[in-house]
Amino acid sequence: MPEVDDAKLHEDEQRLKEIIERPKTGRRVSEIKDELGTTMNQYVAVYREEEGLQKAHEVVRRLKEEAKTAYVDDQGTVFNQDVLGAVELGYMLDCSEAIVVAAIERKESRGAQFRVDYPDRNDEEWQKHIDISRNGDDVPHVSYSPVTITQWEPEERKY
Amino acid sequence: MAEFKLKLRRYNPETGEAPYWQEHTVELEPHRSVLEAILQAKNNEDGSIGVRCSCKAAICGSCGVRVNGKPGLACHTHLDAALASAKDGETIVVEPMGNMPVIKDLIVDMDAVHWKKIQRVTPWLVNREPVPEREYIVPRESMVDVTQSMACIQCGACVSDCLSMEVDPLFIGPAALAKSYRFVGDPRDDMQQVRLKDLSEDPHGIYDCTHCFKCIEACPKGVAPMSQIMRLRRIAGNDHHIVDRNNGDRHERAFVSLIRDHGLLWEAELLPRSYGGDSWFGKFHPHAGKELLSSLPAITKALLRGKVTPMGALKPHDIPAKDLEQVQRIYKTVEEREERVEFNLYISGKDEDLLPSSTATEEASA
Amino acid sequence: MKVAYWPGCVSRGFTPELHGSMEKVAPLLDIELVPLDRACCTGAGVIAEHSQELADSLNARTFALAQQVAGADLMMNICSTCQGAQGECQERLDASAEYRAHINENLAPEGLEYQAGIANKNFLWVLVEEIGLDNLKSMVKRPLTDLRVGPFYGCYIVRPTDRLGINAENPRDTYLEQVIETLGGTTVEYAGSQKCCGFPVITMNKQASLKQAGTHLADAQDADADCLVTPCPLCHLNLDLQQPLAGPVVGRSLQMPVLHLPQLVGLALGLSPKELGLNKHVVKPTAVVDWSTSVVGAVGAGAGGW
């Protein structure tokens, strides 16, 4: 087991305490999770296009704000799945935003992304990874890295 | 969409209060699961409801609960089916599993009971030496033989309802014993004899199963743990001749021989032989004497009531001699076989399952 | 109706009053019993535990004998354990023509052969499905008014549900309650009605076995039952014969009469407790239950002789 210093533990404890003690004035965690799921399913599944992705991005940004005041019902310390749900919601929102931003960025169709507005595969411009990082910022940063090709040359899917 | 009334058994260890019931009304299609209903109540009304779940597809084994008193997976129980089994005809009652301490609401302590028992049976393969340089080649039949026990997803439903464990918490129990068959039946395992000896001699081992079928009924994956326990007994007694201190093997042997010799059970002889050994002399063994002494109150009463009479129950009642001969010939035929003939429905299926689907549909509509 | 009748072993051994009461009750219900005297024990699951092929062969032999009874509507037993043990064998025999042929080879020397699909029913199922509850009700001479009866099914007749054909159409796991009510009695709900009596482990783990019996009896007592009724003689052994030992194990003073199903039916059909062998039980129902108030018009209740 890796060692964890007390300061970090204390910090996490405070974070959980803050969630548990939130007043019931905001939205329910489950409500936000539900809206996030529905939005991602509607706009960011296999068939994607600019307009829908932008809408999705707006929703995710709004939900991120709302999540800061989302409340939980369970105030206990035993098997508190409610607070766990609130913590996980934060990660879900981060991941969702990364997916949406990268999907908007990639203006071609490849693999499980079918851009209705860019139906063709474009190796010349897009045979590269899109890396999304946050580095403590609220907004994700986009950068690229090259694809390492090993035994199998990538080729267009023809079925 | 339809409305369903859900009644959950809640328990919060931090309040010091006793468990209590909480009712919710949920709206879902009837083919959705009880788990979906619980989650809807949790999401929309009370986030503090504790329930374990993960895959929602009856493969992770996390959401074991009792629905209307019967154990199973919440995700594998449709709402319409649950409603049909509701005691009052309208309320779906969900409780935590039994035989395990409740941590909170529907969450039970699997570590304290289920996993501890699984660990008890050495749940891994002990290599037969010498280990071959390349992979073991295992006959297909022997792997098919253990598939049923391998289908277990460790949900604990069988443990929840085990009636032996209810009165003897130390009983190793259905899930762990099915797991142990998974290795006893594996030709690569080197410990068949040791495992069986251990499980036979343990007073809470294979002979502590009361044969109540609860685990067979509970299992959502068709593992039939009780059948695996019976196979463990069969191999322990027949192949390894393990005579255990719990009278398990002696009882089986006495029963089988009494039917061979008389055609009908002779209870007055079965009990003493189970303690003292499988012969007419068994009842004179000190163990049998001790047992008879402790049963004296029951026997005396039975005699006083005229229930048991020397001329009635205490003498054997045989079937006609010619029929007894037939029975004994069948015994001889079967017992002389070199290989055990076993027919497992889980593996073989039924003839009717193999019919072409059109025929099956015609028959169903006929 | 005419049935190929399999009484089992215990009903002629340690609980002779079961077979005896069935013989008394059958003519009143217009059931003609043709006893399968040549058949042997079902193995009660123990022979199957020893050798599946042996159990399947012995029971196939019994089925074949039953199929030879001319004009019989079905085969009937009065023992849950027989029902369960035979049902298990029948399921395998009926499932596969190949396996059935193999087992039939074991019977061939005596010219016996089992044909798939025998109808084999416990007396309880016969009461509800063949005789019918309305019909049964019309035969009641002495309704069991004010008699509070706890149903005790045991295991073999309620599990596994699919093998036993228990479903919405045939809710066989509720038949005892239905029969009790039809006979004019009151069903008592208590925790143990479909649990194990403990009998199968009596020689292996006596404490656990008696604890099971004792717990169910005490639960029924706490629910104010006058008596229990069971379709299984092995349950009867653990609940009645062992009751004097079971009480101390659960720290309770137990006085719970346990009736065999034909005895309960017989009482309502007007037979006397003595004719039905109720005086032969270890816990004498005649001494514990006040039949004169429990049963309206009780014949000879309280009078000397029982």
Side-chain angles (χ1 to χ4, degrees):
Chain A
M1 286 283 278
E3 287 280 313
V4 180
D5 64 84
D6 288 351
K8 181 68 193 155
L9 280 176
H10 183 70
E11 197 182 293
D12 281 350
E13 220 167 13
Q14 287 307 309
R15 189 159 69 110
L16 296 182
K17 199 161 171 273
E18 183 272 320
I19 295 174
I20 287 173
E21 285 171 358
R22 279 177 198 164
K24 296 196 174 185
T25 46
R27 297 181 77 189
R28 292 178 71 81
V29 168
S30 57
E31 224 178 273
I32 298 178
K33 210 182 271 186
D34 198 55
E35 192 182 345
L36 177 65
T38 309
T39 305
M40 293 298 282
N41 218 11
Q42 190 178 352
Y43 300 115
V44 206
V46 176
Y47 296 101
R48 302 165 171 179
E49 59 182 324
E50 181 78 25
E51 197 191 336
L53 290 170
Q54 291 297 356
K55 258 190 216 155
H57 197 189
E58 265 171 48
V59 174
V60 172
R61 292 298 308 172
R62 170 169 55 79
L63 295 180
K64 270 190 139 172
E65 276 310 303
E66 291 173 351
K68 288 177 188 160
T69 56
Y71 70 89
V72 297
D73 295 325
D74 197 340
Q75 323 259 292
T77 62
V78 178
F79 238 106
N80 191 330
Q81 296 173 316
D82 218 6
V83 77
L84 180 71
V87 172
E88 284 177 349
L89 176 64
Y91 301 137
M92 277 183 192
L93 285 161
D94 283 345
C95 289
S96 300
E97 190 172 18
I99 292 167
V100 173
V101 168
I104 294 171
E105 184 70 14
R106 186 174 289 280
K107 292 180 175 50
E108 62 148 358
S109 293
R110 179 184 298 267
Q113 155 151 309
F114 189 88
R115 284 287 300 253
V116 178
D117 40 1
Y118 300 97
D120 295 328
R121 172 183 163 128
N122 178 356
D123 277 355
E124 216 161 284
E125 280 178 77
W126 289 104
Q127 198 177 85
K128 58 186 176 188
H129 294 294
I130 298 172
D131 303 327
I132 306 287
S133 55
R134 208 178 70 156
N135 298 331
D137 285 353
D138 181 39
V139 190
H141 301 280
V142 176
S143 59
Y144 304 102
S145 56
V147 176
T148 314
I149 292 166
T150 55
Q151 193 180 353
W152 307 103
E153 283 283 337
E155 52 182 88
E156 197 184 340
R157 180 154 55 187
K158 292 206 181 75
Y159 52 85
Chain B
M1 286 287 189
E3 274 196 358
F4 292 92
K5 209 158 110 193
L6 201 62
K7 190 168 152 187
L8 305 178
R9 190 174 166 88
R10 304 287 314 266
Y11 170 65
N12 181 351
E14 290 180 294
T15 60
E17 305 281 325
Y20 60 99
W21 295 104
Q22 189 182 52
E23 286 196 18
H24 297 275
T25 304
V26 297
E27 213 175 298
L28 279 166
E29 294 106 322
H31 68 268
R32 298 289 284 273
S33 70
V34 171
L35 177 61
E36 292 291 346
I38 300 168
L39 292 179
Q40 193 180 92
K42 180 181 168 86
N43 288 341
N44 298 354
E45 290 170 43
D46 186 349
S48 72
I49 296 169
V51 58
R52 275 202 197 98
C53 66
S54 179
C55 76
K56 300 186 182 175
I59 194 59
C60 77
S62 302
C63 65
V65 293
R66 282 192 289 194
V67 179
N68 299 328
K70 294 203 166 163
L73 299 172
C75 75
H76 195 49
T77 312
H78 293 291
L79 283 166
D80 46 4
L83 184 63
S85 72
K87 295 233 162 72
D88 67 353
E90 57 167 11
T91 316
I92 299 170
V93 180
V94 186
E95 296 167 89
M97 290 194 286
N99 279 334
M100 289 180 268
V102 176
I103 296 176
K104 179 188 173 183
D105 298 337
L106 303 174
I107 299 165
V108 297
D109 194 344
M110 297 278 284
D111 288 329
V113 181
H114 174 72
W115 292 112
K116 199 169 252 177
K117 288 173 188 297
I118 292 283
Q119 284 162 12
R120 159 74 183 78
V121 299
T122 319
W124 59 83
L125 194 83
V126 182
N127 274 331
R128 190 177 282 282
E129 303 284 345
V131 179
E133 269 177 44
R134 295 183 56 117
E135 69 270 32
Y136 280 102
I137 307 291
V138 178
R140 188 181 168 277
E141 312 79 72
S142 47
M143 282 331 274
V144 170
D145 182 61
V146 292
T147 41
Q148 193 175 13
S149 52
M150 284 162 76
C152 174
I153 56 170
Q154 313 292 341
C155 68
C158 59
V159 173
S160 161
D161 253 31
C162 175
L163 293 180
S164 279
M165 214 183 279
E166 201 173 275
V167 289
D168 177 9
L170 292 175
F171 178 40
I172 295 174
L177 290 174
K179 175 58 106 184
S180 119
Y181 182 75
R182 189 252 165 275
F183 298 105
V184 166
D186 192 319
R188 297 168 297 180
D189 192 83
D190 198 30
M191 306 291 274
Q192 195 185 64
Q193 150 86 19
V194 180
R195 289 177 191 273
L196 289 167
K197 177 97 178 142
D198 167 39
L199 297 174
S200 303
E201 294 287 13
D202 190 324
H204 315 285
I206 49 177
Y207 292 111
D208 203 18
C209 163
T210 185
H211 210 276
C212 72
F213 298 93
K214 274 275 190 183
C215 55
I216 294 186
E217 194 66 18
C219 180
K221 304 304 278 188
V223 172
M226 192 191 96
S227 305
Q228 312 309 329
I229 298 174
M230 294 308 130
R231 298 163 107 191
L232 289 170
R233 288 184 184 179
R234 203 174 294 154
I235 302 171
N238 293 356
D239 298 354
H240 294 281
H241 312 291
I242 297 166
V243 181
D244 57 287
R245 57 175 167 167
N246 305 305
N247 307 319
D249 183 65
R250 268 190 298 273
H251 175 262
E252 181 192 306
R253 239 144 261 286
F255 195 110
V256 173
S257 331
L258 283 170
I259 307 305
R260 183 196 58 212
D261 297 343
H262 304 284
L264 296 173
L265 187 59
W266 184 14
E267 306 98 318
E269 192 66 17
L270 175 65
L271 286 177
R273 282 198 198 186
S274 297
Y275 290 93
D278 181 20
S279 85
W280 186 80
F281 297 101
K283 55 184 161 298
F284 303 116
H285 190 280
H287 286 163
K290 195 173 138 230
E291 169 51 31
L292 285 178
L293 209 61
S294 81
S295 298
L296 219 51
I299 293 173
T300 319
K301 256 202 169 150
L303 282 167
L304 283 174
R305 295 272 186 267
K307 179 183 186 67
V308 182
T309 62
M311 287 311 287
L314 296 186
K315 72 167 171 45
H317 23 282
D318 293 8
I319 58 175
K322 227 178 117 198
D323 293 289
L324 192 56
E325 259 171 49
Q326 290 182 15
V327 166
Q328 289 171 353
R329 190 197 48 71
I330 292 174
Y331 261 78
K332 195 161 176 287
T333 310
V334 174
E335 302 281 51
E336 276 176 1
R337 281 195 208 293
E338 285 189 5
E339 275 200 32
R340 194 164 32 234
V341 177
E342 263 186 51
F343 180 76
N344 187 345
L345 277 167
Y346 182 84
I347 295 163
S348 316
K350 297 182 177 181
D351 284 352
E352 63 201 46
D353 303 334
L354 301 172
L355 289 176
S357 55
S358 59
T359 330
T361 334
E362 273 165 33
E363 281 193 2
S365 60
Chain C
M1 67 183 302
K2 188 172 176 181
V3 298
Y5 171 54
W6 169 245
C9 310
V10 180
S11 68
R12 293 175 284 181
F14 267 20
T15 64
E17 69 279 3
L18 168 56
H19 175 52
S21 57
M22 187 66 237
E23 280 188 318
K24 292 261 165 47
V25 167
L28 302 180
L29 295 168
D30 203 18
I31 300 176
E32 187 190 338
L33 303 176
V34 184
L36 294 168
D37 284 333
R38 298 176 54 200
C40 70
C41 171
T42 65
V46 183
I47 293 185
E49 164 191 327
H50 171 74
S51 160
Q52 207 187 69
E53 189 192 358
L54 183 57
D56 289 355
S57 303
L58 296 175
N59 283 309
R61 181 175 174 274
T62 304
F63 299 153
L65 291 170
Q67 285 173 334
Q68 284 185 347
V69 176
D73 299 292
L74 45 82
M75 174 170 158
M76 184 182 95
N77 64 75
I78 47 170
C79 169
S80 295
T81 303
C82 292
Q83 178 76 55
Q86 290 173 333
E88 187 182 329
C89 294
Q90 192 189 346
E91 186 182 43
R92 284 191 289 266
L93 291 165
D94 286 359
S96 154
E98 193 188 331
Y99 181 67
R100 190 162 61 249
H102 169 80
I103 296 296
N104 271 331
E105 264 173 46
N106 292 344
L107 314 182
E110 288 85 23
L112 288 171
E113 188 188 351
Y114 166 60
Q115 314 275 349
I118 192 173
N120 176 28
K121 294 188 177 186
N122 183 273
F123 176 51
L124 175 65
W125 300 353
V126 170
L127 277 177
V128 179
E129 294 166 12
E130 306 295 327
I131 291 168
L133 294 176
D134 288 342
N135 195 8
L136 178 64
K137 194 166 193 168
S138 70
M139 299 179 200
V140 171
K141 292 223 172 73
R142 186 171 55 182
L144 305 177
T145 314
D146 291 337
L147 188 68
R148 296 177 52 81
V149 188
F152 192 91
Y153 286 87
C155 304
Y156 277 85
I157 204 168
V158 285
R159 285 179 295 273
T161 45
D162 50 351
R163 182 190 296 156
L164 291 164
I166 298 172
N167 46 47
E169 210 174 303
N170 293 311
R172 290 171 163 173
D173 52 351
T174 63
Y175 282 4
L176 270 181
E177 286 86 341
Q178 295 184 37
V179 168
I180 293 167
E181 301 285 330
T182 301
L183 300 177
T186 306
T187 304
V188 173
E189 260 191 61
Y190 68 107
S193 79
Q194 298 196 1
K195 289 188 177 180
C196 177
C197 67
F199 180 78
V201 289
I202 188 77
T203 54
M204 277 85 96
N205 188 342
K206 198 169 182 177
Q207 276 301 106
S209 174
L210 294 175
K211 198 170 168 193
Q212 289 188 303
T215 305
H216 308 325
L217 290 163
D219 281 349
Q221 201 159 291
D222 291 344
D224 286 332
D226 294 321
C227 62
L228 298 185
V229 63
T230 180
C232 180
L234 300 179
C235 294
H236 195 273
L237 287 182
N238 233 38
L239 296 173
D240 179 61
L241 184 69
Q242 301 281 12
Q243 198 172 125
L245 295 178
V249 171
V250 291
R252 294 287 300 264
S253 158
L254 298 173
Q255 273 298 337
M256 181 56 61
V258 185
L259 272 62
H260 299 286
L261 179 60
Q263 291 178 325
L264 192 79
V265 176
L267 281 172
L269 296 188
L271 295 172
S272 79
K274 197 170 180 182
E275 277 177 284
L276 295 164
L278 283 176
N279 51 326
K280 298 223 167 158
H281 296 185
V282 165
V283 181
K284 222 172 167 181
T286 43
V288 183
V289 181
D290 181 359
W291 298 95
S292 59
T293 57
S294 294
V295 179
V296 169
V299 181
W306 63 295

